[in-house]
Amino acid sequence: MGTKERRLLLLSSSVVHGSEYLQHAADDINNFLKKYHVTRILFVPYALHDYDEYTNKVTSVFEKWGYKVNSIHTSKDPVQAVKQAETFYVGGGNTFQLLKALYDWNLIDPIRKSVLEEGVPYIGSSAGTNVATPSICTTNDMPIVYPPSFTALGLIPFNINPHYLDASPTTHMGETREQRIEQYHKIPGVPPVVGLREDCLLHIEGDKITLKGKSCVRIFSPGKNPEEHEAGSNLSFLLKTI
Amino acid sequence: MGTKERRLLLLSSSVVHGSEYLQHAADDINNFLKKYHVTRILFVPYALHDYDEYTNKVTSVFEKWGYKVNSIHTSKDPVQAVKQAETFYVGGGNTFQLLKALYDWNLIDPIRKSVLEEGVPYIGSSAGTNVATPSICTTNDMPIVYPPSFTALGLIPFNINPHYLDASPTTHMGETREQRIEQYHKIPGVPPVVGLREDCLLHIEGDKITLKGKSCVRIFSPGKNPEEHEAGSNLSFLLKTI
Ligand SMILES: [Ca+2]
Ligand SMILES: [Ca+2]
């Protein structure tokens, strides 16, 4: 599939401590939607259990900004809803639940096609960011349901670890996030992982990636030392490693 | 299968901040092994990538205590090694990697049979504790490999969340552990979850469970408020809920 038309905004988190839902990324989201002349959003609520409640919360935020929201769960034909979507917002929650629902409703290929071939903009947050990558292998979520595969939408060729956390020096809490990613990188052939701290987001346009938000990201590549890249950095090299 | 012969020691963690490998549980492990007149331990290293290195680390600790250790990965016939085992020690690491290897080597039924029908003692730590339960649905680990199922050994009828952590009041870090377990409990028919804080362990003998270690556990049952139970508590009710 092509990547020239790709338009993605991938958030680490929908909430940052002390602020309301999506407010920390309000400017970036609004600039993104305006740039592509979006007026309607197709919301994907599958990562949480109560779709109606989740849709109300998301709708109230986007409506305040002037956008119309439809949730895919209210459509009788979700595949058709994807084909007609003007933009996607895939919300956070449990990544396993989200991916399983995308498979259950046969939405993997249609979403992939819309984004990569038709240039339909895609906003993901947390679990919605995980499923945009080649696999959900670097989610932090509990495996509360069993999806038919860990292979995800593959809108980009590298993994993301949302809510990336540095090790706490004072207590043990099982493996650190960095150790978990190192364990992943012992498996031959797996891609780099971007450790996306909570107030970070990636803006991907075709073959260009810009790091937005306020923090650095930590990038893990198999066989290399991790690297820090600061807000505003051009991370397009991540699209050229594969 | 029967449960009368069941002899399990399930640790939250193999390391507690500031102490050496397994030292925080040294007395409980030694009492457990002495009680059942164990002299040889079959070690299961599959949760980590480097089996030899992991085996050396574990062997040095158990040898110091006077036990002989064989690792299952050095056996040409792992199923036969399970059948001849005098006791199991299943170490921590990545739960998905561990469970996948147990399936790849066809060890699920043989281990289950040894523990539940032959009374072979089982010590698990972290990932080794997760796989002792009905499923790995409450692990904290990253899904770095795809096992053929999330169904695990089912040596007990409830789930455990090792390295259980209380919410941090000062920062956001994705969902709290409690929120993750609540999401799990929205799925119909799933069992209770024991949130096992790092210095806790469960001693299970037949139909009796005693909480050992220094902390409380937090027990989550679907549709109920979470409950705290302090060290020394009898938790046998968990075996009667199913
Ligand atoms: Ca999540
Ligand atoms: Ca682990």
Side-chain angles (χ1 to χ4, degrees), chain B residues 171-183:
Chain B
T171 52
H172 180 71
M173 316 183 295
E175 295 88 346
T176 65
R177 202 62 68 78
E178 182 156 335
Q179 284 170 330
R180 293 177 193 280
I181 294 169
E182 282 169 2
Q183 287 175 355

Side-chain angles (χ1 to χ4, degrees), chain B residues 85-183:
Chain B
E86 208 182 283
T87 197
F88 300 105
Y89 173 54
V90 184
N94 184 283
T95 308
F96 296 87
Q97 210 157 257
L98 170 58
L99 186 63
K100 182 173 187 299
L102 293 177
Y103 277 105
D104 288 348
W105 293 103
N106 295 309
L107 297 174
I108 298 284
D109 286 343
I111 295 177
R112 196 173 146 79
K113 201 171 169 222
S114 292
V115 174
L116 293 185
E117 294 184 4
E118 319 288 337
V120 176
Y122 178 107
I123 302 175
S125 175
S126 192
T129 286
N130 275 125
V131 298
T133 76
S135 74
I136 63 164
C137 292
T138 58
T139 178
N140 309 307
D141 289 333
M142 274 186 189
I144 62 174
V145 294
Y146 185 68
S149 166
F150 288 162
T151 300
L153 293 167
L155 306 179
I156 51 174
F158 56 89
N159 283 120
I160 293 177
N161 178 242
H163 309 283
Y164 182 76
L165 269 185
D166 296 289
S168 155
T170 53
T171 52
H172 180 71
M173 316 183 295
E175 295 88 346
T176 65
R177 202 62 68 78
E178 182 156 335
Q179 284 170 330
R180 293 177 193 280
I181 294 169
E182 282 169 2
Q183 287 175 355

Side-chain angles (χ1 to χ4, degrees), chain B residues 53-79:
Chain B
E53 185 184 309
Y54 198 6
T55 300
N56 288 341
K57 179 176 174 174
V58 165
T59 301
S60 74
V61 172
F62 281 99
E63 277 187 348
K64 216 167 48 191
W65 292 338
Y67 302 98
K68 191 163 162 33
V69 175
N70 291 302
S71 179
I72 195 165
H73 83 283
T74 62
S75 169
K76 280 193 184 135
D77 185 345
V79 170

